[in-house]
Amino acid sequence: MKRQKRDRLERAQKSGYQAGINGRSSENCPYQAVDAKTQWLGGWREAREDVHSGLYK
């Protein structure tokens, strides 16, 4: 059970990272559950930082 939950949250983080890289707004978060939404937004923020630091164009 714990592995499944971790995998789901990991997918949410990766999805948020991809959204951030692609320039999507944080308002586009598809998750309602607090844990998944937190992970998605964390990935989104990380991606935006990477874009601003010049890792992606």
Side-chain angles (χ1 to χ4, degrees):
M1 179 74 180
K2 288 185 179 184
R3 180 180 175 102
Q4 289 176 341
K5 186 173 183 180
R6 185 171 52 242
D7 290 346
R8 204 171 336 135
L9 295 178
E10 194 173 306
R11 276 197 313 271
Q13 195 271 341
K14 288 179 180 180
S15 174
Y17 189 87
Q18 284 300 317
I21 292 296
N22 292 329
R24 290 177 41 204
S25 170
S26 64
E27 298 294 318
N28 292 340
C29 179
Y31 295 97
Q32 300 300 318
V34 174
D35 290 343
K37 188 170 192 161
T38 300
Q39 289 292 346
W40 192 93
L41 289 170
W44 182 86
R45 275 190 225 95
E46 185 180 337
R48 298 311 301 158
E49 289 173 9
D50 288 350
V51 167
H52 289 297
S53 67
L55 291 175
Y56 293 96
K57 293 182 178 182

